[in-house]
Amino acid sequence: MPPVVSVRNISRRFGYRLILDRVNFEVEPGEVIGIMGPNGAGKTTLLRIVAGITKPTSGEVEVSGILAMVGHSSMLYDALSASENLRFCARLYGLADEGTIDSTLDLVGLSKWRNQRVGTFSRGMTQRLAIARALLVDPPLLLLDEPMTGLDDTAAEIVYQVLLDLRAKGTSMLIVTHQTDPVVQLATSMGFLVGGRMEVIEKVDNRSASDIAARYKEIVHGG
Amino acid sequence: MARVLSAAFTIAVKDLAIELRTKTAFMSALVFAILVLAILFFARDPTAVASIDIAPGALWVTFTFAAIVGLNRSFLLERENRALDGILLAPIPRSSIFLGKLLANLAFVFTVEFISLPIFVLFYNVEVWSRLPALIAVIAMTTVAFVSVGTLLSSMVVRTRFAELMLPLLLLPFLVPPVVGAVQVTSRILAARPLSEMLGWLKLLVAFDIVFFVLSLLLFEVTLEE
Amino acid sequence: MTKADQAASLSVKGRIITGLALAGMMGVYIRALAYTPIEQTQGPAQKIFYLHAPAAMTALGAFAATGLASIFYLWLRDQRVDLFAAASAEVGVVMSVILLTTGPIWGKPIWGTWWSWDARLTSTLFIFLLFVGYLVMRGALEEPVIRAQHSSVIGIMGLVLVPFIHLTVYMFRTLHPTPVILKPSEPSMDSPMLATFLLSLAVYALLYIGLVVQRYALAVLREARSEEAANGIS
């Protein structure tokens, strides 16, 4: 099968700085790639380029099929309710199935709050809804930007379980995060982005969290 | 094409739903319009200048500034929580974002205009009943002109510092032809002049509508790039 | 040679051209005041025409250059094209200030009033304000690529707006005649007057080139400095 995402020689300048420097990688179907790196390494920019929101200064990105993203910001409208937000999203993708909206809300445990305005939601609830927004379209590829940051325990547990189920279902994922994030344990491959360069990308094979942390230290801080 | 229009419609409905929920921009624009109409009434020497003489100008100055209030809001809405990213991710042509925003802005500005029009009639004591169709036609033509340019510029200025100040600064020069034209046509309509006397201005308005709608649509995608 | 060195040498060339243009302008003044006959209907006031008309033409030319460069920017996506567009707009604004001040000075004796909403002066006023807005917007954007994109949108829109503004002001004017003491028809220039005018136009064109080259070089230099600062090169 062809890769879900091919990133070829991507560079990106912002202002007067080179944020990404000739990055190459591919995401195979069913693969979950975790990309780690220090702050300012260009992780978010990379994700936004794959999503097609930001244009690369040079290089090419090829994505087969649709994708969904859970970003730093929720991409939700505070003045609309949870179900209205999802309905808007569904219509943009040409879907109009109320049943899917209900079941997706159920999946992230927000059925009870379906008619509540998003502006009144806690950070955890907002993040769950942001994930619901992404899952609504049943994307073959999901992009996640530090999905667990700032979540309370309940939300973290729900989000982790949802992602675990997605992996089992064969959804490809690209997750950018830092090394202490529990989601790195979902990854089948690990990439390390340092100063805009993708240093290493390698299979993980059920490595423990401490192994990953050690590997991170080795690559990012040079041993 | 059907896909473009249905996506545009979805975006417009969403914008209006939010506006209906909050009503902040709408109420501000409306109160603002009424205030401007009232202030302009007093901004003259009543013994020297009849209110009917300044009425067309007052109407269009009011509409212009009320529209700017609505246009400022248009893309600020998408800034909060980076909601625009969510639209950009969807498999829809980017021109449908422009059309959706344009539709919502038109609905917003038309609503403000049609509520302030009777107030204008009341304040300035103008005879409009028999000329209402003509007046509505010129309002529609002019509003399309400045909402087209305004939607494009609104998408641009949200990324600048002082967005609310930047919009009028950039937009007003573009409003010179449509607003001058609209005032000329309106004063002739109110004075019950024959159509032949306003034909030149109407042609200018139509030409402006077509040229700047197409140009704004074409250039819009540039304003989304990052 | 680094970018900064190239810019610095370009800036020197710009200064030389500007110097030549300013010397030429002195020549134009001397020729206009001492060696060009006085126009019969307008009298000495007409002398300001040698300063006013070339400034007007240069200003419009400068804004047109900004508009065209904006189109080329969207096509080529080369930051240098954007820097040229901005330099040209800035010089256009300066030229507009010259024409907008000399216009009323000429208008006072000829029209009997400083400002008479003359069609051409009014059009230029609006276009001048549009490009001031263009420059203000550039100042409110940090990221150079986004600044270039937004500027090119305004540049292109402005290019298309100019004929509409001309038409609007012209249509408005034909309905409202202005008070005129002396009716200034198209100045019927005899050959020494025409020669002075053409000389002045050439000098202004040279001044435009000199100023744009300097301004462009300065912008390149500033970009180079910002790039060094952003990447921590001391």
Side-chain angles (χ1 to χ4, degrees):
Chain A
M1 272 212 278
V4 187
V5 178
S6 315
V7 169
R8 286 189 289 269
N9 249 344
I10 289 294
S11 296
R12 171 69 211 203
R13 300 177 70 82
F14 260 122
Y16 304 96
R17 271 162 44 88
L18 193 60
I19 300 290
L20 290 174
D21 188 8
R22 287 158 292 163
V23 172
N24 283 286
F25 70 92
E26 288 185 341
V27 183
E28 302 295 336
E31 199 178 12
V32 177
I33 297 189
I35 293 177
M36 304 196 295
N39 280 339
K43 291 172 292 178
T44 299
T45 304
L46 179 62
L47 207 66
R48 291 172 70 79
I49 286 176
V50 173
I53 296 171
T54 299
K55 278 212 306 196
T57 307
S58 63
E60 278 174 45
V61 182
E62 217 174 285
V63 178
S64 67
I66 63 163
L67 55 81
M69 181 167 94
V70 178
H72 261 298
S73 312
S74 66
M75 301 190 269
L76 300 163
Y77 298 94
D78 285 345
L80 298 180
S81 72
S83 62
E84 282 169 330
N85 265 296
L86 294 191
R87 197 170 302 121
F88 172 62
C89 177
R91 287 198 183 135
L92 282 184
Y93 282 80
L95 316 163
D97 183 7
E98 283 298 309
T100 317
I101 292 173
D102 288 340
S103 63
T104 313
L105 279 172
D106 203 36
L107 194 68
V108 295
L110 287 176
S111 302
K112 196 178 148 195
W113 310 105
R114 67 191 314 280
N115 293 324
Q116 181 81 14
R117 277 194 208 183
V118 173
T120 64
F121 280 16
S122 70
R123 159 89 185 135
M125 286 162 79
T126 311
Q127 183 71 347
R128 275 143 70 188
L129 188 61
I131 287 174
R133 188 189 189 285
L135 299 185
L136 189 66
V137 296
D138 194 18
L141 171 66
L142 184 59
L143 310 176
L144 298 141
D145 192 350
E146 302 197 0
M148 308 290 260
T149 304
L151 296 190
D152 54 279
D153 289 350
T154 330
E157 210 170 292
I158 293 173
V159 170
Y160 193 82
Q161 192 56 47
V162 166
L163 297 180
L164 208 59
D165 292 346
L166 281 177
R167 188 178 72 167
K169 215 179 80 176
T171 304
S172 307
M173 284 184 256
L174 187 61
I175 309 175
V176 307
T177 188
H178 48 87
Q179 86 274 21
T180 52
D181 192 328
V183 287
V184 296
Q185 294 182 43
L186 289 166
T188 55
S189 293
M190 240 29 265
F192 297 91
L193 199 62
V194 186
R197 306 265 316 162
M198 184 72 94
E199 291 295 344
V200 181
I201 192 148
E202 59 191 15
K203 291 268 180 258
V204 175
D205 307 319
N206 297 320
R207 255 188 257 180
S208 72
S210 59
D211 281 351
I212 291 167
R215 186 83 178 110
Y216 179 86
K217 214 174 159 194
E218 185 187 329
I219 290 164
V220 175
H221 304 296
Chain B
M1 192 63 203
R3 189 86 192 87
V4 175
L5 291 180
S6 81
F9 190 68
T10 304
I11 292 169
V13 168
K14 181 267 301 170
D15 272 19
L16 295 174
I18 292 175
E19 191 48 54
L20 218 57
R21 194 69 50 84
T22 57
K23 297 184 197 73
T24 330
F26 181 73
M27 287 314 290
S28 334
L30 193 61
V31 173
F32 187 73
I34 297 168
L35 278 170
V36 173
L37 280 174
I39 290 167
L40 288 178
F41 184 87
F42 290 102
R44 73 192 158 98
D45 175 358
T47 60
V49 182
S51 68
I52 186 73
D53 292 340
I54 62 157
L59 182 71
W60 283 102
V61 169
T62 303
F63 283 179
T64 306
F65 286 111
I68 289 174
V69 174
L71 290 165
N72 250 330
R73 172 206 107 282
S74 180
F75 278 87
L76 281 178
L77 199 74
E78 305 291 348
R79 281 289 271 195
E80 81 176 42
N81 306 333
R82 281 183 172 271
L84 187 62
D85 286 353
I87 301 179
L88 292 175
L89 281 167
I92 56 166
R94 292 188 168 186
S95 55
S96 60
I97 304 176
F98 176 77
L99 293 174
K101 286 285 169 187
L102 180 77
L103 281 176
N105 289 337
L106 280 174
F108 180 96
V109 177
F110 278 141
T111 312
V112 174
E113 286 174 345
F114 286 109
I115 298 177
S116 30
L117 188 62
I119 296 167
F120 162 75
V121 173
L122 183 76
F123 283 3
Y124 287 80
N125 192 24
V126 287
E127 171 55 50
V128 288
W129 273 117
S130 53
R131 300 146 201 166
L132 206 53
L135 201 56
I136 288 175
V138 66
I139 289 175
M141 281 163 75
T142 312
T143 305
V144 168
F146 60 63
V147 172
S148 296
V149 182
T151 302
L152 173 77
L153 296 183
S154 166
S155 163
M156 269 175 50
V157 298
V158 289
R159 294 163 79 171
T160 62
R161 278 178 274 137
F162 316 118
E164 288 91 340
L165 294 178
M166 210 59 74
L167 184 66
L169 179 67
L170 293 174
L171 183 57
L172 285 173
F174 289 96
L175 299 192
V176 171
V179 170
V180 171
V183 170
Q184 296 300 318
V185 174
T186 306
S187 58
R188 284 170 184 68
I189 290 173
L190 294 182
R193 309 297 303 174
L195 181 69
S196 60
E197 283 187 21
M198 32 184 130
L199 209 56
W201 290 107
L202 289 174
K203 281 182 190 161
L204 179 80
L205 278 176
V206 172
F208 191 96
D209 273 352
I210 295 170
V211 169
F212 278 91
F213 169 74
V214 173
L215 199 60
S216 302
L217 180 65
L218 291 176
L219 290 173
F220 178 70
E221 286 184 36
V222 178
T223 70
L224 295 179
E225 285 174 19
E226 66 163 51
Chain C
M1 225 170 31
T2 66
K3 244 194 217 172
D5 293 338
Q6 282 174 343
S9 89
L10 195 62
S11 172
V12 171
K13 284 175 198 153
R15 246 173 274 164
I16 293 169
I17 299 171
T18 310
L20 286 174
L22 290 174
M25 197 165 278
M26 225 152 68
V28 168
Y29 288 162
I30 292 167
R31 191 189 147 89
L33 294 174
Y35 301 102
T36 308
I38 291 170
E39 212 254 348
Q40 293 203 333
T41 44
Q42 295 182 28
Q46 184 266 350
K47 299 284 186 199
I48 209 164
F49 166 84
Y50 302 116
L51 186 59
H52 175 80
M57 288 174 178
T58 315
L60 276 183
F63 293 143
T66 299
L68 293 175
S70 300
I71 297 173
F72 280 112
Y73 174 80
L74 285 187
W75 181 24
L76 302 168
R77 302 284 175 157
D78 186 329
Q79 288 300 112
R80 287 174 300 182
V81 179
D82 171 62
L83 296 183
F84 165 74
S88 186
E90 216 165 286
V91 179
V93 164
V94 171
M95 293 291 173
S96 303
V97 171
I98 296 177
L99 90 91
L100 288 170
T101 43
T102 52
I105 294 172
W106 172 83
K108 184 64 182 167
I110 303 299
W111 289 328
T113 170
W114 294 106
W115 187 265
S116 80
W117 297 104
D118 158 76
R120 275 184 277 189
L121 217 50
T122 309
S123 301
T124 322
L125 176 68
F126 286 127
I127 295 156
F128 162 73
L129 291 173
L130 172 69
F131 279 92
V132 171
Y134 170 96
L135 294 174
V136 172
M137 185 195 69
R138 291 185 68 91
L141 285 160
E142 291 294 340
E143 156 70 35
V145 175
I146 289 181
R147 185 174 62 209
Q149 287 165 353
H150 285 194
S151 303
S152 65
V153 170
I154 298 290
I156 295 170
M157 298 279 285
L159 193 64
V160 179
L161 181 67
V162 170
F164 276 99
I165 289 199
H166 270 299
L167 196 62
T168 305
V169 173
Y170 175 78
M171 283 168 70
F172 187 87
R173 292 278 316 160
T174 48
L175 300 160
H176 302 257
T178 42
V180 171
I181 293 171
L182 299 165
K183 194 170 170 58
S185 56
E186 279 303 308
S188 50
M189 289 189 287
D190 55 20
S191 49
M193 289 182 184
L194 190 65
T196 307
F197 167 68
L198 290 176
L199 184 69
S200 179
L201 191 60
V203 162
Y204 264 94
L206 200 63
L207 185 63
Y208 168 78
I209 294 168
L211 290 176
V212 167
V213 167
Q214 281 193 73
R215 201 63 196 77
Y216 173 79
L218 194 61
V220 172
L221 209 58
R222 188 185 280 169
E223 299 282 289
R225 285 274 182 277
S226 305
E227 197 168 331
E228 284 171 9
N231 294 299
I233 303 164
S234 53

